[in-house]
Every structure is written in structure tokens, then in C-alpha cells.
Amino acid sequence: MAAEPDKVLIFDTTLRDGEQAPGCSMTQPEKLRVARALAELGVDVIEAGFPAASKGDWESVQAVSRMIDGPIIAGLARCNREDIELAARALADAPRRRLHVFLATSAIHRQYKLNMAEEQILRTAVEGVRRARELCEDVEFSPEDASRTELEFLAQVVEAAIEAGASTVNIADTVGYTVPDEFAELFRYLCKNVRGIERIRLSVHCHDDLGMAVANSLTAVVAGARQIECTINGIGERAGNCSLEEVVMALKTRAAFFNVTTGIQTTRLYPTSRLVSSITGMTVPRNKAVVGENAFAHEAGIHQHGVLKHHSTYEIMRPEDVGLARSHLILGKHSGRHAFRDRVRALGFELQEQELNEVFEEFKALADRKKELFDGDIEALVLRAGGAANGPWSLAGLETHAVMQGPATTTVRLRHSDGRLVEQTTEGDGPVDAAFKAIEAATGLGVMLRKFEVRGVTEGEDAQGEAVVYVEYNQRTYRGSSVSTNIVESSSKAFLEVINRIEQAAAGNRSREERAAGAQTASTL
Ligand code: KIV
Ligand code: ZN
């Protein structure tokens, strides 16, 4: 009889390694939305952040710990007491929690980054894991840049971390340097040479600098790893991390080869990918494996013919396996709430009653302007529900006048949550430029526009246009997006979302400073 397949844990680090990628930062409500989606997806561990990195990170890890019940919530910490204690406090309310401590081990990092000798690395790793174990039952240790570390020294560090109490050891290919055969060899070496390794779970963490993160993670599983660290859409530092959807579907599609299972509800892969893409603004390439727009599209006649005869001719997975339930049914202004809710569900989204009501109202308004609503329209409405930076400013009116040769004029009317209504008319190089300038003048915030994109979310001349705006303000990048059938409107709303994010960040800093001042006063009393 064949052996029962082992379970491989899926450790999602979208909210930590993924969020670290340039332009991928998320607000706390956005992180909570992603955390909820990850729990529904069935991941085993959610790495919610790096609490010592910033106050915002600490607060997000605490908020995720308080909200999510099911997956283990992990917080990252360097091997020092302050980091570890901060992380433990942020995780304190999680029903299941893990402290994840890391320390670089490679000669390059020892010499140039840490300026530490091998003995110091060993001592620091042991002290870090011990301190973490005093605060948390479940401790993971990661030798950073493990794949470029001398094998003998790596084995020594891993053995010392196990002795100190780590229950998971995560082998990191931090710079995406290794190749499958070499990496498998590294895992086999550790399994053979590290005392106590059979007591712990071996994990793998790969980056995609040479495009091999998924292949390297899979080979590590063949060589004994039983936890994979990955991110939705593979977002992460530089070229990104191992992509969750790809590695999970590889294990599922080739189950007979790998003989392992995961707890992932694969039908939730596509909606989760869309959510993360919409929140981070990292567009999924059309040809991306598993969740790209073209992943299940057959263009060549021979292929179409084959698939019509039997899908297995050219499809190794079914679109519905990954939650891609496209239909050609079109909704319109006569479609009721029921039909709308059914379609939202068929697309893989679960909305709470209040959110559903709000999105349904927007759907009705859109259906008044646009005859036929496609899946892409509905997806765009749902993805924006409750996620966008709401307030303090909202667009109350917009008028624009543009001619072929000559400046355009745009008037914006903005409402502030304190009751003010501000109107501003500005000229610009085209209606969008004029609208951005008018919004800057009305709100009194000048920003540096870095990137501006508009794309159609569906087909047809009345397709909605999604506008995405990136700006720089006070050395930070902010992103805003919006959709509308009128692209000057979606661009203006996207720009206004950026202004709102900046104002919210400033308000957050003010209240933190006030709290800190209050705490200081209290402590001096
Ligand atoms: O890439 C890396 O080495 C990491 C560690 C913190 C695991 O992200
Ligand atoms: Zn990493």
C-alpha cells in the first residue's frame, strides 16, 4: 500500500516579505483584508509583519493577531532582545502564534553586513532562539542567505538553533542564487549531518532573482522540506518570492510525483490573487502561470479544437480548480440583488451584508451608465469595496473642457469630512493634468507624480477604465486607484485617494506623537 501523503505547510509571507517590495506597501485595513482572504484560502501560517520595522508594522501585526483565528500568526524578529520582545508583544493576542527569528550566516553577510565571526553568529543565534522560546512555544529560526553559507557551518548553526528550542528551521535562498540540484543537495546534507533534525520541521524560503524560486522550493520538498514560504502572486523583494499559487498547483497537479498535500482551497487562488493585485497595484502579467489572464486561454486553432474534444489535450488544470469561474452571462440594470450576489460568489468573493449592499448600490449606478456589465466590472467593484483609503476628501463634482490644440480646463468640487466644500478650476496639459492640478490646489498638497496608468477592465467602448496613480511625497511613495467609465473621473478619484492616504498617514503620525507625549507626561507624573 502506498504511504499516506505528508502534509506540506503553506507559510504565507505576503504581508511581510511581499509588503517589503517597492510600491507594495499596504494600509492596516488593507492588510486585514488580505489576512482574512489568506485564512479563507487555508494557509497554515500568516507572517503578518516585522514588528520592529515600524510602529505601523507593529500595530498591523497586533491587529491581525486579534482578528484572525485559525492559521498561526507569525511575527519576524532579528536575533536581538528588543526585536524579539516587540514581536512577542504584538503577537500576544493571537490564538496561535509563532516567533520567527533570523540571522545571516553566509561569509559575505558575516563579513560585510554583520562584521561578526562564526562563533558570534552561533552565540547570537542561540541566544535569540532561547529568548524567543521563553516568550513563545512555537519558534522558527531562519539562517538568512543559507544557500550561500558553507555547508559545515550552516549545519552547526542549524543544530545549535534546534538545541536552543527552534521547532521549525527555514532554509533561505535570500538572493535567489541557488539552482534545484544544488539546493536539494543542501537539504540532504542537513538531513544527514544535523543532530535532532528529525524532531523539527524543515522549511524553505526562496527568492526569484533567477526565476527559480518555485523550482527550488519544489526540489526542497522532494529533499525533505515540509513547509514552503511563499507569497500571493510571488510579490516580494526585488524579483519577488516563491509564488504561492504556482507552488501549490504544482504540488496538486503533480500529486503522484510529489506525494504530499497542502490545506489550500485552490478555488480561492484566483480571487485572492486579484485582491492582492488590486490592493498592491502589482499587476499580474497576462501570461503568469495559474492566475494570469491567458493561463487558460487557447488561441491556436489546433489547441481550441483539441480542448473542445477533451480538455485534457491542452489543459493540465481546470480553470475552475483555481477559482476562475468566468461566465458569459451579462448583468444589467434590471438584474436584481440576488443575481448580483450569486455572481459575486461565483467569482469567489464573500462580502459581508453591509459591504454587499454598498457594492450593489454602486453596481446600480454603474448599470445606469453602462448597458452591459461583465465579470471584470463586477470584480472591479468588489475589489474596491471597503479597501480604498476613505476620506477625508471625496469628489463631489467634476467638469472638464478640452480642445485639440490648447490647454484643457478642469473644475473639481471636493468635499472634506469636516463639512468644507472646496471648488477649484485649473488649466492643464489635457483634462487629467488639469484635474490633478486642481486637486492639489484645492487640498493644498503638492506631490510629485511618478507614474500614471489607465487600462480598460473589460471590453467594449463603454468599458470602465482603471486609473492607477503613484506619487512621491516626503520621500515616500503613495498609490491610488479607481475605476469609472469616465477616465478623467477615475484618474481624479485615484489622485484623490493618494491625497487621502497622505492625510491619513499624517493624522496617524500626529496621534502617535500625541500618544507618545501623553505617555511621557504620564510617566513623569
Ligand atoms: O529572504 C530571507 O532571507 C528572508 C528571511 C527573513 C527568512 O526573508
Ligand atoms: Zn525573503
Side-chain angles (χ1 to χ4, degrees):
M1 218 167 61
E4 272 291 293
D6 266 0
K7 184 169 176 194
V8 170
L9 300 189
I10 298 297
F11 176 117
D12 180 276
T13 182
T14 305
L15 295 176
R16 199 277 299 168
D17 224 343
E19 211 244 354
Q20 255 167 255
C24 281
S25 60
M26 303 177 216
T27 62
Q28 195 186 103
E30 287 169 342
K31 287 184 186 173
L32 290 176
R33 204 161 174 222
V34 171
R36 244 185 279 135
L38 292 172
E40 276 173 29
L41 179 64
V43 305
D44 301 281
V45 186
I46 296 177
E47 186 161 56
F50 184 1
S54 72
K55 195 113 178 146
D57 254 54
W58 190 92
E59 286 168 353
S60 296
V61 173
Q62 183 184 58
V64 172
S65 301
R66 289 182 171 170
M67 194 192 65
I68 300 292
D69 194 359
I72 295 169
I73 308 301
L76 184 69
R78 284 167 296 193
C79 266
N80 67 58
R81 290 180 85 82
E82 297 79 1
D83 267 34
I84 295 169
E85 286 160 16
L86 266 175
R89 280 204 294 282
L91 293 168
D93 295 331
R96 300 170 72 207
R97 53 186 168 276
R98 173 179 298 180
L99 274 174
H100 177 191
V101 292
F102 76 100
L103 179 66
T105 50
S106 66
I108 297 174
H109 281 236
R110 293 195 310 264
Q111 183 180 349
Y112 298 112
K113 187 176 91 172
L114 300 172
N115 192 21
M116 281 163 88
E118 288 185 2
E119 308 74 60
Q120 279 175 292
I121 297 281
L122 270 167
R123 204 173 338 110
T124 310
V126 167
E127 282 168 6
V129 173
R130 281 208 188 120
R131 181 64 190 134
R133 261 311 288 272
E134 285 165 6
L135 301 170
C136 187
E137 274 284 292
D138 183 348
V139 172
E140 171 169 332
F141 172 73
S142 290
E144 190 191 6
D145 206 16
S147 56
R148 292 194 299 169
T149 303
E150 308 87 320
L151 284 177
E152 267 181 45
F153 181 57
L154 182 65
Q156 267 182 22
V157 179
V158 170
E159 190 167 301
I162 295 172
E163 260 173 42
S167 45
T168 302
V169 173
N170 176 45
I171 303 302
D173 182 28
T174 305
V175 289
Y177 178 73
T178 197
V179 296
D181 283 355
E182 176 189 74
F183 207 38
E185 205 38 60
L186 184 158
F187 274 79
R188 284 193 207 104
Y189 180 89
L190 292 179
C191 290
K192 207 162 135 209
N193 292 286
V194 172
R195 244 175 311 146
I197 203 151
E198 66 293 341
R199 294 201 307 270
I200 57 112
R201 188 174 285 272
L202 259 181
S203 168
V204 59
H205 178 112
C206 293
H207 282 265
D208 208 29
D209 299 66
L210 292 172
M212 285 185 280
V214 172
N216 287 330
S217 303
L218 290 170
T219 206
V221 168
V222 173
R226 286 296 176 264
Q227 173 178 283
I228 302 174
E229 302 202 349
C230 44
T231 60
I232 300 292
N233 299 334
I235 62 168
E237 284 280 2
R238 306 178 311 278
N241 286 57
C242 170
S243 140
L244 184 149
E245 55 284 350
E246 291 179 22
V247 85
V248 163
M249 286 314 288
L251 292 177
K252 183 176 162 122
T253 308
R254 302 301 311 274
F257 178 81
F258 290 107
N259 196 31
V260 295
T261 57
T262 72
I264 296 297
Q265 302 293 322
T266 61
T267 54
R268 304 222 42 88
L269 287 172
Y270 183 75
T272 313
S273 157
R274 293 293 300 124
L275 177 72
V276 170
S277 159
S278 132
I279 284 179
T280 58
M282 288 287 271
T283 334
V284 173
R286 286 173 77 103
N287 64 338
K288 165 110 165 55
V290 181
V291 290
E293 214 172 294
N294 285 1
F296 296 94
H298 304 278
E299 182 76 23
I302 288 181
H303 289 205
Q304 288 176 348
H305 184 68
V307 169
L308 286 174
K309 288 209 153 160
H310 200 275
H311 68 87
S312 64
T313 50
Y314 287 100
E315 272 182 0
I316 56 165
M317 305 167 262
R318 305 300 324 263
E320 52 272 30
D321 294 343
V322 302
L324 191 61
R326 297 276 129 180
S327 78
H328 298 291
L329 285 171
I330 294 163
L331 297 182
K333 69 175 176 187
H334 300 298
S335 307
R337 207 169 165 282
H338 252 83
F340 177 71
R341 188 178 46 207
D342 285 352
R343 182 61 60 79
V344 169
R345 284 209 179 125
L347 290 172
F349 298 104
E350 268 316 321
L351 291 182
Q352 308 188 335
E353 208 52 27
Q354 170 70 14
E355 282 173 338
L356 185 81
N357 291 340
E358 282 169 21
V359 181
F360 185 61
E361 284 313 309
E362 288 177 30
F363 162 78
K364 295 292 257 187
L366 181 60
D368 272 338
R369 287 153 72 171
K370 192 172 184 298
K371 269 201 312 288
E372 296 174 324
L373 273 79
F374 298 92
D375 284 345
D377 292 312
I378 299 182
E379 209 175 73
L381 289 175
V382 173
L383 288 172
R384 296 197 54 73
N390 291 322
W393 294 100
S394 59
L395 188 67
L398 176 76
E399 251 176 68
T400 187
H401 176 73
V403 287
M404 212 165 107
Q405 264 144 12
T409 315
T410 301
T411 302
V412 295
R413 217 162 302 117
L414 304 184
R415 196 181 302 285
H416 194 275
S417 54
D418 64 11
R420 265 180 298 154
L421 191 66
V422 186
E423 187 172 299
Q424 188 75 42
T425 303
T426 311
E427 268 190 5
D429 190 5
V432 172
D433 181 48
F436 289 0
K437 286 185 172 135
I439 291 172
E440 284 184 306
T443 59
L445 264 179
V447 298
M448 182 72 77
L449 183 66
R450 286 288 174 218
K451 199 163 147 195
F452 168 56
E453 286 168 352
V454 180
R455 68 171 188 107
V457 293
T458 53
E459 61 264 44
E461 65 263 30
D462 64 350
Q464 293 196 88
E466 180 182 41
V468 183
V469 171
Y470 289 84
V471 308
E472 208 176 289
Y473 180 78
N474 267 354
Q475 286 150 13
R476 279 195 57 188
T477 305
Y478 293 84
R479 193 185 72 87
S481 66
S482 185
V483 286
S484 169
T485 46
N486 174 340
I487 59 162
V488 185
E489 183 185 326
S490 53
S491 307
S492 304
K493 284 184 172 165
F495 195 76
L496 205 51
E497 184 173 298
V498 161
I499 300 286
N500 282 334
R501 284 184 197 275
I502 294 173
E503 294 221 352
Q504 283 171 16
N509 287 341
R510 274 197 300 278
S511 70
R512 271 197 284 280
E513 276 158 20
E514 278 158 21
R515 273 207 307 279
Q520 240 172 30
T521 321
S523 66
T524 42
L525 280 174

